[in-house]
């Protein structure tokens, strides 16, 4: 094709450049109407060029593809045009069309092909195929364009199982190169994850007829990003997709937005909507493709049908659907957490948090249809929250990385701001600091993720996780965000049902979450006033532990520049000196942690109640276990199902008691939330062990008291092998991938923790049968458990065991180390 001269543009065609400039500056014409008008103007111009170029009446068509094919043009968009033909064409024909386009200053992406050639290129090049999916007839032989569209769509649907994974990989590569639009200070509106290119991918998936994206809010999000892109093109005069810092104020002004921060929040919200729609859609694609693969490998198995994500469904088997229980009202299906058939969202306000926690702890996410239903049907939590709601929130946060997609699903449907109204002020709020890599709300979630890996370092992991989630909550308000956050967190802690002591601790942590690192890096470490700054802020060793872990989690979640080996060493040194000063003022290290753990566990203390004495006398007189069960409904609303049980058990002292009883509870699927053990001698006939438990039914159904009592007696007399039964049940249960958790910590407390016993502390991830394994290990080590303080805080067990030898004396240091090693081995 010759390129030496430019064919003259026919005189009867309009001056496209002038008409385009007039249209872009026309008052009152903005957004989608302007993009559509620009596309119509361009359509008319190109149609005239084809006609004036002497194209034959049939066998030739001019086709818009890609973004232009979708009928909307941004001010600086390229023109993607295909000259389609069904046989030989004059060499000069394409030149008579392309040269006037170039002369008018428009950017042109052009090609000349037959239908067969276009299909061949599409088969080899996924990006070309995506562009052809949006093919739109401009001028010439409409039947030829129709044939192309039909062939391309047929090819796309036929090749979808092979090409969709390729499309997904393209999206992942773009996300790696350009980042996530929802969190970038200078985002690429087109290529970043959650950008305009992802919308093209969603449309391509819909064209396969295998899946469709959730449509709620998606059109509005697409419109917002397209409007911002238009304004960016007009402000810069260039075809740029990057919303640079220096352009944001002008773009905001052109769009009539208050300021650049408001603009970014709108962009972030739109990007999150698109990114979430993509996640939901790709999960549906995975289910459909997996079902097809299974059907292909196993002829005769149940067929699958797809009913459309936007209508709350996905790949559904015609026949039995495998559903595995996760928690009360929650089951696993097709790799997602969904509601059980018996779930009643309208009467179970804790269900959203329970479903979220169960999903995250099992490495799943909550299905789109389930989140939608929870948002529509569940009532707000009563204030203060029931204990279970607080525990489920802590359990969700304790899942670490696995909590992030679950949190995003809740946030997408407005459930997070329903739980925590103050969250709205930090949601999608940009941080104009190069050190920060996240928006305020995502930084809070990421800090909780980091804190989840540090829960073994503190006696109160629940307070650490909540403080991590809320430490920057004051950034939505004027003034010092630490001071504002302290006020907010006091209100939120009371809302969540924390007691005065815990509320005060959370307030201290939020108020001083920057104090440690600021003091360590800006003050003289050898000045006594430096250490005093910290000891005045926290006051106790447990609070110092919490503040140390929160400081590190906050810095790690901020970004690489916020934490280094040098900073860590300075903070560690300051913490060590502050701990030494606090130890001198209030006891040995470990005192505070043990006291705090015991307080959290609700261990028995003081004078036994009349009911406890009655049970102890009955056990002493009969030589058999005596128990009482008191079901508790943790909701203020009438008709709320019992959520927990207070179990009081009195048993004549015998070896292995704690582990045996814990094993029976695990067999009955009762999760131990807290427990305490102590000795009584009610009639002078020998010690009776009194165990006070707070347990929760794993799947909502409480066991019959008579059956529980019978199994306890059988386990204690040896006729029920609890360990074997638990092992058989575990072997029969389906394997789940689970989530990574911090390793357990088993430590012997300093001797000053107790004058009459050796105190063994265990911090581990809670799991069915955990206390049974610990109890068996202690029994196997030949030690007596004189007293125990057991507490489950979210997904973390924090237990303290007061141990003696057979003669009732504290263990020697060597013996205590052996016992700790045995427990550690039992926990794997």
């Amino acid at each position: 094709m010759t390129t030496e001269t430019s064919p003259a543009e026919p005189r009867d065609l309009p001056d496209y450049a002038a008409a385009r400039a007039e249209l872009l500056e026309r008052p009152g014409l903005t957004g989608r109407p302007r993009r559509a008008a620009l596309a119509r103007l361009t359509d008319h111009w190109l149609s005239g060029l084809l006609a004036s170029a002497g194209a034959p009446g049939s066998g030739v068509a001019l086709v818009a593809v890609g973004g232009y094919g979708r009928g909307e043009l941004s001010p600086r968009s390229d023109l993607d045009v295909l000259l389609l033909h069904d046989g030989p064409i004059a060499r000069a024909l394409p030149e008579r069309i392309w040269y006037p386009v170039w002369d008018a200053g428009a950017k042109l992406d052009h090609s000349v092909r037959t239908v067969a050639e276009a299909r061949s290129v599409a088969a080899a090049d996924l990006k070309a195929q995506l562009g052809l999916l949006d093919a739109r007839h401009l001028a010439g032989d409409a039947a030829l364009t129709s044939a192309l569209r039909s062939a391309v769509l047929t090819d796309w649907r036929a090749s979808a199982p092979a090409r969709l994974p390729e499309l997904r990989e393209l999206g992942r590569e773009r996300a790696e190169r350009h980042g996530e639009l929802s969190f970038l200070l200078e985002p690429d509106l087109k290529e970043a994850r959650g950008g305009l290119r992802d919308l093209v991918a969603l449309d391509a998936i819909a064209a396969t007829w295998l899946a469709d994206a959730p449509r709620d809010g998606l059109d509005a999000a697409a419109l917002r990003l397209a409007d911002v892109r238009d304004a960016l093109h007009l402000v810069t005069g260039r075809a740029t997709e990057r919303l640079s810092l220096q352009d944001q104020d002008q773009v905001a002004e052109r769009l009539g937005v208050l300021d650049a921060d408001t603009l970014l929040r709108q962009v972030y919200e739109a990007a999150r909507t698109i990114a979430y729609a993509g996640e939901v859609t790709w999960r549906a694609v995975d289910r459909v493709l997996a079902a097809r693969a299974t059907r292909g490998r196993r002829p005769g198995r149940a067929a699958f049908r797809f009913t459309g994500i936007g209508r709350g469904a996905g790949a559904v088997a015609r026949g039995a659907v495998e559903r595995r229980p996760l928690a009360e009202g929650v089951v696993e299906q097709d790799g997602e957490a969904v509601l059980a058939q018996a779930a009643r969202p309208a009467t179970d306000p804790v269900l959203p948090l329970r479903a979220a926690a169960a999903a995250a702890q099992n490495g799943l996410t909550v299905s789109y249809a389930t989140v939608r239903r929870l948002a529509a049907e569940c009532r707000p939590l009563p204030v203060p929250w029931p204990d279970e709601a607080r525990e489920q929130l802590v359990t969700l946060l304790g899942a670490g990385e696995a909590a992030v997609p679950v949190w995003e699903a809740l946030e997408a449907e407005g459930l997070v701001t329903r739980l925590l109204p103050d969250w709205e002020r930090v949601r999608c709020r940009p941080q104009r600091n190069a050190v920060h890599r996240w928006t305020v709300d995502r930084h809070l979630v990421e800090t909780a993720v980091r804190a989840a890996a540090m829960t073994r370092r503190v006696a109160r992991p629940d307070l650490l996780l909540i403080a991590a989630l809320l430490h920057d909550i004051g950034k939505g308000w004027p003034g010092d965000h630490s001071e504002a956050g302290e006020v907010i967190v006091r209100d939120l802690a009371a809302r969540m049902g924390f007691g005065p002591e815990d509320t005060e601790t959370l307030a201290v942590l939020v108020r001083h979450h920057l104090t440690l690192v600021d003091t360590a890096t800006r003050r003289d470490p050898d000045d006594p006033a430096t250490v005093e700054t910290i000891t005045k802020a926290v006051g106790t060793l447990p609070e110092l532990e919490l503040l140390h872990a929160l400081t590190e989690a906050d810095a790690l979640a901020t970004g690489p520049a916020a934490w280094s080996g040098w900073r860590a060493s300075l903070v560690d040194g300051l913490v060590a000196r502050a701990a030494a000063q606090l130890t001198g003022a209030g006891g040995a290290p470990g005192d505070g942690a043990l006291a705090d753990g015991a307080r959290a566990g609700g261990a028995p203390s003081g004078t036994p109640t009349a009911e406890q004495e009655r049970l102890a006398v009955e056990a002493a007189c009969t030589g058999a276990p005596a128990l009482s069960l008191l079901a508790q409904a943790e909701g203020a609303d009438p008709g709320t199902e019992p959520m927990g049980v207070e179990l009081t058990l009195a048993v004549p002292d015998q070896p292995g008691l704690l582990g045996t009883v814990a094993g029976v509870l695990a067999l009955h699927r009762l999760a131990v939330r807290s427990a305490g053990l102590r000795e009584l001698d009610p009639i002078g006939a020998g010690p009776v062990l009194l165990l006070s438990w707070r347990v929760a039914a794993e799947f909502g159904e409480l066991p019959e008291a008579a059956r529980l009592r019978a199994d306890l007696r059988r386990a204690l007399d040896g006729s029920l092998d609890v360990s074997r039964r638990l092992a058989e049940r575990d072997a029969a249960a389906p394997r789940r991938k689970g989530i990574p958790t911090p390793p357990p910590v088993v430590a012997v407390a300093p001797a000053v923790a107790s004058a009459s016993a050796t105190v063994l502390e265990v911090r581990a991830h809670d799991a069915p049968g955990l206390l049974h394994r610990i109890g068996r290990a202690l029994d196997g080590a030949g030690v007596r458990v004189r007293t125990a303080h057991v507490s489950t805080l979210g997904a973390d067990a924090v237990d303290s065991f007061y141990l003696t030898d057979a003669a009732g004396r504290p263990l020697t240091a060597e013996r205590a180390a052996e016992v700790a090693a045995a427990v550690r081995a039992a926990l794997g």
Side-chain angles (χ1 to χ4, degrees):
M1 184 181 294
T2 180
T3 58
E4 293 155 356
T5 61
S6 171
E9 185 175 346
R11 295 178 182 177
D12 57 342
L13 289 181
D15 184 342
Y16 174 75
R20 176 180 170 279
E22 183 277 328
L23 185 150
L24 293 178
E25 296 301 326
R26 190 178 301 168
L29 184 61
T30 61
R32 178 173 286 168
R34 181 174 59 199
R35 289 189 291 276
L38 183 57
R40 288 193 301 271
L41 173 68
T42 306
D43 291 353
H44 176 68
W45 178 50
L46 291 177
S47 299
L49 289 178
L50 179 66
S52 66
S58 63
V60 174
L62 200 58
V63 183
V65 297
Y68 180 31
R70 289 187 289 275
E72 291 193 355
L73 277 180
S74 288
R76 298 289 174 180
S77 290
D78 293 355
L79 301 181
D80 298 326
V81 182
L82 165 65
L83 184 61
L84 193 64
H85 62 97
D86 64 359
I89 59 172
R91 177 183 178 87
L93 178 62
E95 296 176 351
R96 291 173 182 155
I97 303 170
W98 308 148
Y99 275 104
V101 175
W102 289 324
D103 290 343
K107 292 187 176 180
L108 180 66
D109 186 353
H110 62 92
S111 57
V112 182
R113 294 189 178 110
T114 64
V115 171
E117 289 169 343
R119 292 177 69 185
S120 177
V121 169
D125 184 347
L126 178 59
K127 293 180 180 179
Q129 189 168 34
L130 294 176
L132 288 172
L133 288 175
D134 293 308
R136 179 172 60 86
H137 183 70
L138 294 178
D141 190 342
L144 194 59
T145 304
S146 180
L148 173 68
R149 282 184 52 80
S150 178
V152 167
L153 282 170
T154 299
D155 292 345
W156 175 241
R157 287 164 186 153
S159 63
R163 305 229 77 172
L164 284 178
E166 186 182 350
L167 177 61
R168 189 175 202 173
E169 187 57 32
L170 276 180
R172 286 174 175 160
E173 291 173 358
R174 280 191 293 101
E176 289 178 5
R177 286 196 307 271
H178 300 281
E180 293 196 55
L181 179 51
S182 300
F183 308 117
L184 297 169
L185 276 178
E186 293 187 313
D188 188 307
L189 299 172
K190 188 174 183 180
E191 303 292 345
R193 180 176 180 265
L196 294 167
R197 190 75 77 184
D198 281 351
L199 290 168
V200 176
L202 291 177
D203 287 342
I205 294 171
T208 65
W209 290 350
L210 294 179
D212 191 14
R215 291 294 163 181
D216 287 349
L218 195 59
D219 287 343
L223 184 62
R224 170 49 57 181
L225 291 190
D227 287 349
V228 173
R229 183 191 188 205
D230 285 2
L232 180 62
H233 284 188
L234 293 172
V235 163
T236 61
R238 295 180 289 111
T240 180
E241 313 297 342
R242 185 168 299 281
L243 186 58
S244 300
L245 289 172
Q246 66 266 22
D247 300 322
Q248 289 173 11
D249 287 321
Q250 288 177 277
V251 171
E253 182 180 1
R254 188 165 194 108
L255 291 171
V257 174
L258 178 63
D259 54 28
D261 277 2
T262 304
L263 171 68
L264 278 183
R265 291 191 76 173
Q266 292 180 356
V267 168
Y268 293 162
E269 287 173 354
R272 288 191 188 184
T273 299
I274 296 168
Y276 178 63
E279 287 296 317
V280 171
T281 306
W282 281 117
R283 289 202 304 270
V285 169
D286 289 342
R287 288 196 299 273
V288 174
L289 295 184
R292 286 188 168 194
T294 301
R295 191 166 68 243
R297 290 194 304 268
R298 301 178 182 178
R301 294 295 294 269
F304 283 73
R305 59 188 171 85
F306 190 80
T307 59
I309 297 174
R311 293 178 291 279
V316 181
R318 292 195 293 269
V321 178
E322 187 175 13
R323 296 161 74 88
R324 301 167 183 165
L326 298 175
E328 182 194 356
V330 188
V331 297
E332 176 187 353
Q333 178 182 320
D334 290 330
E336 296 179 321
V338 303
L339 294 186
Q341 292 178 352
R344 295 182 294 172
T347 59
D348 189 356
V350 183
L351 187 55
L353 283 172
R354 191 185 311 122
Q361 286 293 328
N362 286 279
L364 308 171
T365 190
V366 186
S367 80
Y368 172 72
T370 295
V371 179
R372 296 270 295 169
R373 184 180 172 194
L374 291 171
E377 298 182 24
C378 281
R379 292 172 297 167
L381 283 167
V383 178
W385 292 5
D387 289 348
E388 190 203 359
R390 186 175 64 255
E391 290 167 359
Q392 296 293 357
L393 175 59
V394 172
T395 302
L396 167 61
L397 299 176
E401 289 284 355
V404 175
V406 177
W407 187 273
E408 288 178 338
L410 298 181
E411 195 257 357
E413 295 299 330
L415 284 167
V416 172
T417 50
R418 186 186 301 181
L419 292 167
L420 306 171
D422 292 279
W423 195 262
E424 183 60 34
R425 282 184 171 265
V426 297
R427 183 174 176 272
C428 294
R429 181 174 290 274
Q431 304 202 76
R432 293 189 176 275
N433 185 323
V435 173
H436 278 280
R437 61 186 299 184
W438 306 109
T439 54
V440 176
D441 61 331
R442 182 57 180 269
H443 169 70
L444 294 175
V445 174
E446 290 291 334
T447 303
V449 168
R450 298 287 188 166
M454 303 175 188
T455 50
R456 304 295 177 265
R457 290 168 42 177
V458 299
R460 291 296 302 276
D462 56 333
L463 297 184
L464 172 61
L465 292 169
I466 295 297
L469 183 69
L470 300 177
H471 73 279
D472 274 349
I473 197 72
K475 285 189 174 179
W477 296 84
D480 186 319
H481 77 276
S482 298
E483 294 178 0
E486 179 186 2
V487 175
I488 296 169
V489 84
R490 288 183 187 277
D491 177 68
L492 285 176
R495 179 186 185 89
M496 293 179 185
F498 282 105
E501 248 185 276
D502 290 345
T503 296
E504 185 61 33
T505 298
L506 288 169
V508 167
L509 294 174
V510 171
R511 176 67 182 87
H512 294 288
H513 71 272
L514 296 176
T515 300
L516 257 183
V517 69
D518 285 351
T519 304
T521 56
R522 300 176 185 177
R523 300 277 292 275
D524 180 1
D526 297 321
D527 187 342
T530 302
V531 175
E532 189 177 359
T533 299
I534 304 304
T535 56
K536 282 185 175 180
V538 294
T540 67
L541 283 171
E543 285 185 354
L544 181 62
E545 276 184 353
L546 288 165
L547 186 62
H548 188 191
L550 175 60
T551 299
E552 185 174 340
D554 181 19
L556 289 171
T558 297
W563 195 246
S564 63
W566 171 74
R567 284 175 178 262
S569 65
L570 291 178
V571 169
D572 291 347
L574 180 56
V575 168
R577 288 190 291 274
Q581 185 163 317
L582 290 171
T583 299
D591 276 359
L594 289 170
D596 207 70
R599 195 165 52 242
S605 59
T607 306
T609 65
E611 176 65 7
Q612 290 172 340
E613 286 188 344
R614 183 190 68 77
L615 293 172
V617 170
E618 179 183 339
C621 292
T622 64
L627 65 86
S628 69
L629 285 170
L630 176 62
Q632 292 188 327
E634 290 194 35
D637 300 328
T640 301
E641 288 293 314
M643 303 301 293
V645 172
E646 292 288 346
L647 168 63
T648 305
L649 175 67
V651 187
D653 192 12
Q654 64 182 77
L657 180 63
L658 179 64
T660 299
V661 174
V664 172
L665 296 180
L667 273 179
H668 284 265
R669 297 194 181 277
L670 292 173
V672 178
R673 306 310 299 172
S674 64
L677 178 153
R678 67 178 176 188
E679 290 183 354
L680 294 177
D681 189 356
I683 61 174
V688 171
L689 290 185
L690 183 69
L691 298 96
S692 298
W693 307 76
R694 185 169 69 87
V695 297
E698 191 174 347
F699 301 123
E701 280 191 39
L702 298 175
E704 296 178 1
R707 184 179 175 188
L708 181 59
R709 185 182 293 108
D711 282 351
L712 283 169
R713 287 175 175 167
R714 291 172 57 214
L716 292 171
D717 67 22
S719 60
L720 174 63
D721 189 338
V722 175
S723 297
R724 182 177 62 82
R725 288 279 301 276
L726 286 172
E728 289 173 350
R729 191 179 73 183
D730 289 346
R735 296 293 177 187
R736 298 192 181 98
K737 62 180 180 179
I739 58 172
T741 59
V745 172
V746 182
V748 179
V752 293
S754 173
S756 57
T758 297
V759 180
L760 186 73
E761 273 202 319
V762 179
R763 299 175 183 177
H765 187 77
D766 189 36
L770 174 69
L771 190 56
H772 172 67
R773 296 199 300 275
I774 295 172
R776 277 178 55 85
L778 294 175
D779 184 43
V783 296
R784 294 181 66 244
V785 181
R786 197 194 73 194
T787 307
H789 304 294
V790 175
S791 59
T792 305
L793 305 170
D796 294 293
V798 181
D799 304 338
S800 302
F801 302 93
Y802 287 67
L803 310 177
T804 66
D805 60 18
R809 297 185 301 265
L811 308 180
T812 64
E814 294 78 10
R815 186 81 179 94
E818 293 173 357
V819 173
V823 173
R824 205 174 289 118
L827 298 181

